[in-house]
Amino acid sequence: MKHLALAAGCLIAGHAAAQTSQTPPEELPVLNVYTYDSFTPDWGPGPAIAAAFEETCDCDVVFTPAGDGAALLSRLRLEGARSQADVVVGLDTSLMGAAKATGLFAETDVTADYDLPQTWTDTTFVPFDWGYFAFVGNEGADLPTSFRALADSDTSIVIQDPRSSTPGLGLLLWVKAAYGDEAPAIWDALSDNIVTVTPGWSEAYGMFLEGEADMVLSYTTSPAYHVIAEDDASKVAVPFEEGNYLQIEVAAKLAATDQPALADAFLQFLTGSEAQAILPTTNWMYPAVMPDEGLPPAFDQIVDPSKALLMSPDDAEAIRATALDEWRNALAR
């Protein structure tokens, strides 16, 4: 048997020699991007942005959905410096203070000529789109135009959980910014209007489309989707008399990434005209930088709130726990 073993050993050695004599295919670097769930489906912006960036970077982009925006930050906290993520896409100004406090993110030198409702100076987080939160309902329905009117009505609403969802957290800060110390009373009054609280935006909007509530917490830009994608003008967003809360969505590079240059290149690409042109008709938000071709005509029909409400990242973080307690206490009664 020894000669068979020797022969086998020679064959194995020869095969191994043949393998090492060939030039192995070059492995492309991989950029791992954590984002929220609605960014990654075929109908979301992720696939088109990844394909466009891969044409420039000689790399592979791998998107990982991680729930809604607040859940995304929770996952990064749990993983810490061991996270496989190089970049995160989908936090917002309401979470920037909490995100920066983790120490998980690195500064970047990305620059862009932003078209935002406010001046952008942060050097860690890169804005990629923005919009106003709004309640969306059906054209022709009697839709309240303020939180007080909503609370006094029989209008049913679906909202998102502020512990897992950036729109849910945005609503919390919206009420707090508009009413301050009166926020607990507003939540008490609204509690019987709320049909349910969903983990993320997608579930809530789906329930509204299925007729399970009169209105849903979404964005002023949401009706543009129905006009462009479905030729349906039956959905309307309502500007509130108190003003509507502004959301600016951001991306950032992880400090522990082993692809820092590639991460910076992706963030720069995300603010470029090619990526920004993808966002309005896939993420249904305003681009952070106006693309060369401008916006689709349906965006001209979007309602413009009379007043924009927004807390600074530090103020949002300082008040978040109190606002969450007020919301939770009201809904528990």
Side-chain angles (χ1 to χ4, degrees):
M1 296 295 292
K2 188 176 179 180
H3 67 284
L4 290 176
L6 180 61
C10 291
L11 286 172
I12 292 170
H15 184 61
Q19 283 188 317
T20 55
S21 67
Q22 297 173 356
T23 302
E26 183 180 1
E27 291 188 6
L28 296 177
V30 175
L31 185 73
N32 288 299
V33 181
Y34 283 11
T35 186
Y36 48 73
D37 288 350
S38 62
F39 205 87
T40 59
D42 290 342
W43 45 263
I49 289 175
F53 182 61
E54 285 172 347
E55 288 183 4
T56 71
C57 68
D58 201 22
C59 71
D60 286 329
V61 177
V62 177
F63 279 109
T64 299
D68 216 331
L72 176 59
L73 180 58
S74 296
R75 175 167 174 171
L76 289 167
R77 278 195 181 111
L78 286 173
E79 295 182 350
R82 297 168 299 172
S83 176
Q84 295 299 306
D86 301 300
V87 170
V88 60
V89 173
L91 304 179
D92 71 359
T93 45
S94 299
L95 289 171
M96 276 174 50
K100 192 169 285 190
T102 67
L104 294 172
F105 299 93
E107 292 197 344
T108 179
D109 56 1
V110 168
T111 58
D113 186 13
Y114 293 116
D115 292 292
L116 297 170
Q118 66 171 38
T119 302
W120 193 263
T121 57
D122 193 274
T123 54
T124 299
F125 296 94
V126 176
F128 64 91
D129 67 15
W130 64 278
Y132 293 102
F133 294 119
F135 283 94
V136 172
N138 290 303
E139 177 72 44
D142 184 16
L143 301 175
T145 58
S146 72
F147 284 111
R148 292 193 191 281
L150 175 58
D152 290 340
S153 76
D154 294 327
T155 302
S156 58
I157 59 174
V158 184
I159 63 173
Q160 297 88 38
D161 193 327
R163 295 164 293 187
S164 57
S165 162
T166 53
L169 178 57
L171 177 60
L172 230 62
L173 300 179
W174 184 2
V175 172
K176 199 68 179 172
Y179 287 97
D181 293 342
E182 293 183 69
I186 294 295
W187 281 117
D188 279 340
L190 287 173
S191 60
D192 61 357
N193 298 91
I194 300 171
V195 173
T196 193
V197 179
T198 63
W201 174 89
S202 299
E203 303 96 319
Y205 208 82
M207 290 184 67
F208 163 67
L209 293 179
E210 291 170 3
E212 296 189 37
D214 299 318
M215 302 180 83
V216 60
L217 176 64
S218 191
Y219 297 88
T220 59
T221 46
S222 298
Y225 160 76
H226 297 283
V227 171
I228 294 173
E230 301 175 339
D231 193 24
D232 175 6
S234 68
K235 304 296 183 291
V236 293
V238 181
F240 266 24
E241 295 167 7
E242 300 94 333
N244 289 62
Y245 200 80
L246 175 64
Q247 182 189 41
I248 301 174
E249 294 196 297
V250 299
K253 174 178 64 175
L254 275 292
T257 177
D258 58 358
Q259 300 285 352
L262 192 56
D264 281 333
F266 179 81
L267 293 174
Q268 189 68 66
F269 181 84
L270 191 59
T271 63
S273 183
E274 187 172 6
Q276 290 289 299
I278 293 169
L279 290 162
T281 55
T282 53
N283 222 28
W284 303 100
M285 297 280 278
Y286 291 108
V289 178
M290 189 59 65
D292 296 340
E293 59 267 50
L295 292 171
F299 274 67
D300 294 340
Q301 304 171 29
I302 294 172
V303 296
D304 192 17
S306 59
K307 182 179 179 182
L309 302 174
L310 180 67
M311 294 183 186
S312 71
D314 289 344
D315 287 346
E317 178 59 13
I319 210 164
R320 186 160 59 101
T322 300
L324 184 59
D325 285 343
E326 293 170 353
W327 171 84
R328 195 159 37 201
N329 291 338
L331 269 61
R333 294 192 183 103

